[in-house]
């Protein structure tokens, strides 16, 4: 027969004993160690339910119970020091231990036989799950790493009235739908309707991407990276023409994108006050820092403070601080050398890269939509795999149809795509920012498409990390 030992040191333990006494005594013997009389009040010993009133520090008095042929140990004690003492003296028992952690500042041993119920984290997760637009991951099922997800389909979703099977891919699948309080398994004809709840299974990152697509309301960028556009101006190390070019592009983005605010931060400020006139607009903040003169330090601080979703910079500062830009995992707009403004660019071009485009496809389409620019994918990978190319093209075409995009095309080119892009200065470029930057000489010696941006400095380029 199963033998379960419970250390009962809180009101919650009393409720647990109540439920065990009423419903689960047939599962085995339950041995309860307690200190306070209120734990046992209302209970009497009965078959398979045994009580021991022992001080939790009196290990010598209950070690014989610990040495019984136990199947499981439950530690449900609210006093942190007592709980720590009990856990320490139970570790040598090679049986499953369930430890209820009530405190933030408590380190539990990492042993395979210990399972933790983290009360602060549990409460936080429940509140987070209650917030609108948050993925509902199954935290206590399977691996508990987010491989099971429930998502409600809003009426505006591009997936409404689509066949469920067409949305599935090798990394994420819809396995069932909750509709009208019924569980329905999908088949080839199952269609997604507004307000359906979809049960998804797959790799956590793929599920998050699918969640964002299902919930997607076109025009959300710079979300999910942040709410605000950010421009950092170093007046000591930037020429007036460079500042004017950056401001012009940033203000255009602020008019077109669905950001909340434009944050313009100035370090090493001069006496010129013209830029501060922008403060008259409620959605623009112009801030000066007279103490921090380091570009790196200022950017790191502001990333923490301003909910930044897009950073605008130029070629010099991008390459000077490329490792920092890579580490912060925020979209970057690098203003190029061309005289063509972002506003007058004729379209957006993207080099197809078999492993890099899928994760950022939603952002690419969103930018095209918000900036009102045609979207052109260039197909010209010298290391091309026809099957993978076809799969990527089908993925992008399906995506375009889901969001009802009309001005999207895929161009097959014979030349190196970098040469093709450099033939025209009238297009801006979107590139994945998924690889750590390398010196330009490395790209010359060992060319790879993911570093093609090193040779496209005359163009305006958006760099998109995987969120």
């Amino acid at each position: 027969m199963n033998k379960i030992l419970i250390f009962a040191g809180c009101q919650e333990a009393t409720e647990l004993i109540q439920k065990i006494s009423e419903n689960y005594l047939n599962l085995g013997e339950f041995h309860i160690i307690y200190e306070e009389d209120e734990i046992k009040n209302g209970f009497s010993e009965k078959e398979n339910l045994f009580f021991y009133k022992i001080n939790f520090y009196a290990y010598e008095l209950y070690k014989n119970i610990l040495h019984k042929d136990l199947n499981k140990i439950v530690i449900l004690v609210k006093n942190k020091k007592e709980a720590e003492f009990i856990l320490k003296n139970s570790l040598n028992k090679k049986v499953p231990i369930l430890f209820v952690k009530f405190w933030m500042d408590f380190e539990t041993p990492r042993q395979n036989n210990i399972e933790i119920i983290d009360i602060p984290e549990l409460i936080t997760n429940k509140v987070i799950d209650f917030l609108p637009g948050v993925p509902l991951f199954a935290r206590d099922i399977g691996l508990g790493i987010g491989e099971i997800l429930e998502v409600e389909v809003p009426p505006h979703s591009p997936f409404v009235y689509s066949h469920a099977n067409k949305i599935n891919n090798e990394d994420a699948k819809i396995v069932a739908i909750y509709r009208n309080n019924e569980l329905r398994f999908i088949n080839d004809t199952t269609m997604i309707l507004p307000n359906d709840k979809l049960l998804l299974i797959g790799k956590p990152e793929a599920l998050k991407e699918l969640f964002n697509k299902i919930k997607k309301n076109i025009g959300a960028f710079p979300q999910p990276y942040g709410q605000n556009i950010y421009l950092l101006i170093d007046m000591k190390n930037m020429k007036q023409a460079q500042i004017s070019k950056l401001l012009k592009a940033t203000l255009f983005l602020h008019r077109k994108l669905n950001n909340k605010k434009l944050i313009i931060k100035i370090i090493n400020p001069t006496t010129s006050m013209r830029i501060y006139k922008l403060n008259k607009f409620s959605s623009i903040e112009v801030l000066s820092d007279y103490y921090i003169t380091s570009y790196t330090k200022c950017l790191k601080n502001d990333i923490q403070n301003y909910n930044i979703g897009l950073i605008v910079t130029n070629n010099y500062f991008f390459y000077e601080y490329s490792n920092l830009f890579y580490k912060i995992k925020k979209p970057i707009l690098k203003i190029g050398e061309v005289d063509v403004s972002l506003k007058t660019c004729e379209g957006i071009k993207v080099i197809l890269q078999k492993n890099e485009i899928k994760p950022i496809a939603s952002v690419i389409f969103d930018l095209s939509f918000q900036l009102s620019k045609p979207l052109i994918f260039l197909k010209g990978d010298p290391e091309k795999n026809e099957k993978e190319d076809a799969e990527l093209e089908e993925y992008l075409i399906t995506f375009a149809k889901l969001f009802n995009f009309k001005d999207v095309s895929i161009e097959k080119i014979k030349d190196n795509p970098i040469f093709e892009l450099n033939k025209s200065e009238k297009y801006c470029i979107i590139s994945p920012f998924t690889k750590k930057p390398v010196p330009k000489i490395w790209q010359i010696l060992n060319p790879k498409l993911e570093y093609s941006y090193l040779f496209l400095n005359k163009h305006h380029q958006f760099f998109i990390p995987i969120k």
Side-chain angles (χ1 to χ4, degrees):
M1 178 176 282
N2 291 321
K3 293 184 176 65
I4 298 99
L5 173 60
I6 300 174
F7 289 89
C10 58
Q11 184 61 40
E12 291 83 352
T14 305
E15 295 178 15
L16 173 65
I17 297 166
Q18 179 74 37
K19 290 190 175 181
I20 290 171
S21 176
E22 293 174 355
N23 303 296
Y24 302 109
L25 286 180
N26 62 319
L27 298 180
E29 292 182 0
F30 292 86
H31 299 265
I32 316 294
I33 296 178
Y34 69 100
E35 280 187 332
E36 304 295 334
D37 289 333
E38 62 185 24
I39 297 294
K40 187 177 180 298
N41 287 345
F43 298 109
S44 58
E45 288 200 7
K46 56 176 75 172
E47 187 177 357
N48 293 343
L49 186 62
F50 307 94
F51 289 88
Y52 311 89
K53 184 178 181 181
I54 305 174
N55 187 288
F56 291 139
Y57 289 116
Y59 173 70
E60 293 297 323
L61 297 180
Y62 59 77
K63 70 177 181 180
N64 289 334
I65 304 172
L66 266 176
H67 290 144
K68 285 179 181 286
D69 189 18
L70 298 173
N71 298 95
K72 294 196 173 186
I73 298 172
V74 178
I75 303 174
L76 190 49
V77 176
K78 224 163 203 176
N79 183 290
K80 185 166 70 171
K81 291 185 177 180
E82 289 179 342
E84 188 175 23
F85 180 86
I86 295 167
L87 180 61
K88 181 180 178 181
N89 285 288
S90 304
L91 292 178
N92 62 342
K93 294 290 293 179
K94 301 303 179 185
V95 299
I97 299 173
L98 179 65
F99 183 82
V100 182
K101 176 175 167 283
F102 292 95
W103 323 274
M104 299 282 288
D105 56 339
F106 188 94
E107 291 293 328
T108 49
R110 296 186 178 274
Q111 289 185 199
N112 290 334
N113 65 317
I114 300 177
E115 183 177 343
I116 308 297
I117 297 178
D118 191 323
I119 299 299
E121 183 178 0
L122 195 62
I123 294 171
T124 301
N125 288 338
K126 283 293 184 183
V127 175
I128 292 296
D129 288 345
F130 177 75
L131 299 177
V134 174
L136 295 178
F137 289 105
R139 308 180 195 277
D140 302 314
I141 300 175
L143 300 176
I145 59 173
E147 77 279 14
I148 303 172
L149 170 68
E150 178 188 303
V151 55
E152 184 172 345
V153 182
H156 59 70
S157 173
F159 285 78
V160 167
Y161 305 116
S162 299
H163 288 288
N165 276 340
K166 290 187 177 180
I167 297 165
N168 291 340
N169 59 63
E170 60 183 12
D171 295 327
K173 298 183 185 299
I174 303 170
V175 295
I177 292 176
Y178 293 99
R179 182 184 298 161
N180 299 328
N181 294 318
E182 292 180 358
L183 175 66
R184 304 184 182 196
F185 292 101
I186 69 166
N187 55 45
D188 292 339
T189 62
T190 303
M191 188 170 283
I192 297 173
L193 301 180
N195 303 313
D196 277 350
K197 289 184 179 179
L198 309 182
L199 185 63
L200 312 177
I201 293 179
K203 296 179 180 178
E205 285 301 322
L207 289 183
K208 289 176 184 176
E209 180 189 353
L210 187 53
F211 173 88
N212 287 332
K213 290 178 185 176
I214 293 170
K215 289 287 192 181
K216 186 75 171 177
N217 186 5
I218 283 294
F221 185 83
Q223 293 282 21
Y225 298 93
Q227 290 185 318
N228 302 317
I229 298 174
Y230 177 84
L231 172 62
L232 178 54
I233 295 175
D234 183 348
M235 285 192 164
K236 180 181 178 181
N237 296 297
M238 286 183 181
K239 295 178 180 178
Q240 185 58 49
Q242 293 174 321
I243 295 173
S244 296
K245 197 171 185 179
L246 286 169
L247 278 172
K248 188 176 181 181
T250 307
L251 290 170
F252 171 72
L253 288 174
H254 182 54
R255 288 195 302 272
K256 299 290 286 186
L257 297 183
N258 192 24
N259 59 296
K260 186 176 181 181
K261 282 196 171 187
L262 167 59
I263 308 293
I264 301 173
K265 188 65 168 289
I266 299 171
I267 56 174
N268 302 308
T270 63
T271 55
S272 174
M273 301 296 290
R274 290 178 60 190
I275 192 172
Y276 295 98
K277 293 180 180 180
L278 291 171
N279 272 323
K280 68 181 181 182
F281 299 103
S282 60
S283 61
I284 300 177
E285 289 187 24
V286 182
L287 309 168
S288 295
D289 197 318
Y290 293 89
Y291 301 99
I292 296 178
T293 59
S294 162
Y295 191 96
T296 299
K297 188 175 181 181
C298 186
L299 182 56
K300 284 182 176 179
N301 287 347
D302 290 350
I303 284 292
Q304 301 297 322
N305 296 328
Y306 292 116
N307 196 11
I308 295 169
L310 174 65
I311 299 170
V312 182
T313 189
N314 61 18
N315 279 325
Y316 173 79
F317 283 88
F318 177 79
Y319 291 113
E320 183 71 14
Y321 303 101
S322 57
N323 284 318
L324 173 61
F325 284 126
Y326 174 76
K327 288 177 183 176
I328 62 179
K329 301 296 182 186
K330 298 285 186 180
I332 312 293
L333 170 60
K334 178 172 70 69
I335 298 302
E337 300 163 356
V338 293
D339 293 329
V340 178
S341 70
L342 197 61
K343 181 180 180 179
T344 57
C345 279
E346 293 182 359
I348 296 173
K349 289 192 174 183
V350 182
I351 300 175
L352 285 185
Q353 301 176 43
K354 56 190 177 184
N355 297 321
E356 305 290 332
I357 297 302
K358 271 190 180 182
I360 63 169
S362 60
V363 178
I364 293 171
F365 281 94
D366 200 339
L367 275 168
S368 169
F369 171 78
Q370 291 195 65
L371 297 180
S372 305
K373 305 288 184 185
L375 184 57
I376 303 155
F377 293 97
L378 299 180
K379 180 184 175 184
D381 189 344
E383 301 174 357
K384 62 184 177 182
N385 179 311
E386 293 295 338
K387 182 180 178 183
E388 290 179 347
D389 279 357
E391 289 176 354
L392 180 55
E393 285 182 50
E394 183 180 357
Y395 176 85
L396 294 171
I397 291 168
T398 302
F399 202 108
K401 287 179 179 177
L402 285 172
F403 288 94
N404 198 29
F405 276 91
K406 304 296 184 185
D407 211 348
V408 178
S409 60
I410 298 177
E411 289 186 5
K412 295 182 181 180
I413 53 176
K414 294 181 180 179
D415 291 337
N416 185 309
I418 299 172
F419 298 154
E420 182 68 25
L421 284 168
N422 277 320
K423 289 178 182 178
S424 173
E425 300 178 352
K426 297 181 180 180
Y427 291 89
C428 55
I429 298 168
I430 297 179
S431 300
F433 200 23
T434 56
K435 296 287 191 299
K436 191 174 182 179
V438 297
K440 195 171 185 177
I441 187 66
W442 289 19
Q443 174 69 354
I444 295 173
L445 298 174
N446 185 24
K448 291 185 179 296
L449 273 180
E450 52 261 42
Y451 297 117
S452 58
Y453 63 81
L454 292 166
F455 298 95
L456 298 168
N457 289 333
K458 65 181 181 181
H459 296 276
H460 307 312
Q461 293 183 73
F462 289 92
F463 293 90
I464 310 297
I466 295 176
K467 176 65 175 173

